[in-house]
């Protein structure tokens, strides 16, 4: 099956690399607006195939969407990343126009496509794709929770001094510095609640470091992260192409779930061959419910800046 990745920059190339390395897709098409850039990234990646042992064919194109025709999944990473000191929300002015135009091109050539939205501010960009693509809501999935949950597990393992494979946990709500909701109450080490091992101070630290995970990396790198974002996308794409039905927190259009409607926010969902098979309703504590509602209010304010 064919996967398109729009934006051959840091995140797009990382998506293509992880998808190819796992060898479950027949073809990955990279698209970029910068002349020759996607072609160059595709060629460089293809020259790793014999070294890394994959058969996925990676091609690149400068804006020729006819090459993306018949894609099962398209990942939108086109747009600008933030610089140190910026919020994701500040990217809306430039990225909204790019995401809207890219979506139209993708749908024109692949009407049955499932779109994974990565460009920031992601929850708002996912909402924009819902409002402008004409695709059913099951086929538009924002990527944030998969990455934020991986960062949560990294911070939990650090605090627990445990291997990451011992740890499980999930982050829902908004993909923003303030609106992320790491579900500490449900995090476990080999099935045992982590609250059995960590103090209140450690808990607060894990939650805060998780929420500012993207900002911390942006400060260190001078631009935002790409390895973990690419890996997170590859897990979502694999769950679709291989119909794995994994439960992954994704930014989805809500219609009453978690008390919200007409908004994209991170919630756990079963992801399979048709996209979103089911939004999973989990029980939140009163404090978590309040934080989810607060995150929704902030995302709704940002959505208000969109022009359709
Ligand atoms: N949702 C998430 O968890 C994450 C989201 N991001 C977001 O992903 C986006 C991309 O980040 P990077 O890859 O680091 O940026 P980058 O600057 O390395 O790559 C972006 C690419 O998009 C291309 N582009 C711009 N306009 C285009 C258009 N109209 N059509 C096709 N390509 C176009 C650029 O030429 C560039 O190569 C940013 O908005 C960033 O904030 C980044 C990491 C995680
Ligand atoms: O931090 C950023 O701007 C990019 C992003 O969404 C992330 O890495 O979580």
């Amino acid at each position: 099956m064919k996967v398109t990745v729009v934006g051959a920059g840091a995140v797009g190339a990382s998506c293509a690399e992880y998808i190819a390395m796992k060898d479950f897709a027949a073809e990955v098409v990279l698209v970029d607006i910068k002349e020759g850039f996607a072609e160059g990234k595709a060629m460089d990646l293809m020259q790793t195939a014999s070294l890394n042992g994959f058969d996925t064919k990676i091609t690149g194109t400068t804006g020729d969407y006819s090459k993306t025709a018949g894609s099962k999944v398209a990942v939108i990473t086109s747009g600008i990343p933030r610089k140190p000191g910026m919020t994701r929300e500040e990217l809306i002015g430039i990225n909204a126009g790019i995401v809207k135009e890219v979506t139209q091109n993708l749908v024109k050539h692949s009407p049955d496509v499932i779109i994974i939205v990565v460009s920031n501010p992601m929850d708002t960009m996912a909402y924009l794709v819902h409002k402008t693509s004409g695709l059913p809501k099951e086929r538009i999935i924002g990527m944030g929770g998969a990455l934020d949950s991986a960062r949560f597990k990294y911070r939990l393992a650090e605090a627990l001094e445990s291997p990451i494979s011992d740890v499980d946990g999930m982050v829902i709500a908004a993909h923003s510095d303030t609106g992320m909701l790491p579900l500490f109450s449900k995090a476990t080490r080999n099935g045992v609640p982590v609250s059995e091992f960590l103090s209140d101070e450690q808990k607060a630290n894990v939650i805060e470091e998780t929420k500012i995970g993207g900002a911390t990396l942006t400060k260190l790198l001078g631009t935002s992260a790409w390895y973990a974002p690419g890996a997170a996308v590859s897990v979502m794409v694999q769950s679709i192409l291989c119909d794995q039905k994994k439960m992954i927190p994704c930014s989805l259009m809500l219609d009453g779930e978690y008390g919200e409607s007409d908004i994209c926010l991170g919630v756990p969902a079963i992801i399979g061959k048709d996209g979103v098979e089911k939004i999973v309703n989990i029980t939140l504590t009163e404090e978590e419910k309040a934080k989810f509602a607060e995150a929704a209010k902030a995302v709704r304010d940002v959505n208000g800046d969109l022009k359709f």
Side-chain angles (χ1 to χ4, degrees):
M1 274 187 269
K2 189 194 274 189
V3 179
T4 288
V5 179
V6 186
V11 177
S14 172
C15 292
E17 182 176 14
Y18 284 116
I19 291 167
M21 291 276 285
K22 295 177 185 176
D23 218 7
F24 57 80
E27 186 179 357
V28 176
V29 182
L30 276 170
V31 185
D32 206 283
I33 199 169
K34 232 187 291 174
E35 189 66 42
F37 193 60
E39 290 87 335
K41 285 283 181 101
M43 193 185 290
D44 193 10
L45 283 167
M46 275 309 281
Q47 291 169 1
T48 71
S50 63
L51 299 164
N52 286 329
F54 64 78
D55 290 320
T56 302
K57 182 178 159 199
I58 308 170
T59 58
T61 169
T62 306
D64 179 0
Y65 280 84
S66 68
K67 303 252 174 71
T68 70
S71 294
K72 170 76 180 170
V73 177
V75 184
I76 302 181
T77 78
S78 46
I80 54 165
R82 63 174 157 167
K83 295 249 178 297
M86 288 173 76
T87 65
R88 296 177 181 88
E89 289 77 4
E90 286 175 70
L91 305 173
I92 188 174
I94 294 179
N95 287 355
I98 295 173
V99 169
K100 191 174 164 187
E101 180 211 312
V102 164
T103 300
Q104 281 159 358
N105 285 323
L106 287 170
V107 175
K108 187 170 157 205
H109 293 274
S110 303
D112 297 326
V113 73
I114 295 168
I115 293 185
I116 297 179
V117 184
V118 179
S119 309
N120 274 316
M122 183 277 295
D123 299 295
T124 295
M125 294 301 104
Y127 184 76
L128 175 67
V129 174
H130 278 278
K131 293 292 175 188
T132 58
S133 66
L135 294 179
K137 64 179 183 162
E138 298 73 26
R139 289 205 263 126
I140 302 166
I141 309 175
M143 191 290 283
L147 169 64
D148 302 332
S149 300
R151 289 182 177 150
F152 185 32
K153 287 179 237 185
Y154 167 80
R155 289 299 179 188
L156 282 169
E158 187 181 55
L160 290 162
E161 297 181 43
S162 80
I164 291 186
S165 56
D166 262 15
V167 172
D168 205 1
M170 184 163 60
V171 176
I172 61 168
H175 182 61
S176 69
D177 297 343
T178 51
M180 258 176 233
L181 178 51
L183 294 176
F184 196 89
S185 66
K186 296 196 166 22
T188 58
R189 177 174 186 180
N190 285 344
V192 182
V194 292
S195 51
E196 301 242 352
F197 310 114
L198 299 178
S199 66
D200 286 349
E201 192 187 339
Q202 285 175 306
K203 169 184 169 179
N205 189 49
V206 164
I207 291 174
E208 187 52 22
E209 290 298 340
T210 301
K211 288 170 71 174
I212 60 164
T216 301
L217 284 160
T218 303
K219 195 168 164 201
L220 290 168
L221 297 166
T223 183
S224 55
W226 56 89
Y227 293 118
V233 168
S234 76
V235 166
M236 292 166 67
V237 175
Q238 185 170 17
S239 197
I240 296 168
L241 261 63
C242 303
D243 196 25
Q244 287 176 317
K245 302 186 193 298
K246 275 182 176 282
M247 184 171 82
I248 303 173
C250 305
S251 186
L252 304 177
M253 180 60 94
L254 301 181
D255 185 16
E257 297 92 348
Y258 292 86
E260 300 294 338
S261 292
D262 194 36
I263 189 168
C264 290
L265 271 183
V267 291
I270 306 302
I271 304 299
K273 67 177 179 356
D274 300 318
V276 182
E277 302 208 339
K278 186 179 155 203
I279 291 178
V280 181
N281 196 15
I282 55 173
T283 312
L284 301 181
T285 64
E286 288 308 312
E287 189 188 353
E288 288 164 349
K289 279 185 200 163
K291 290 206 162 119
F292 192 91
E294 218 177 285
K297 186 179 174 311
V299 170
R300 205 166 260 121
D301 284 350
V302 182
N303 291 352
D305 291 338
L306 287 173
K307 291 172 199 71
F308 300 118

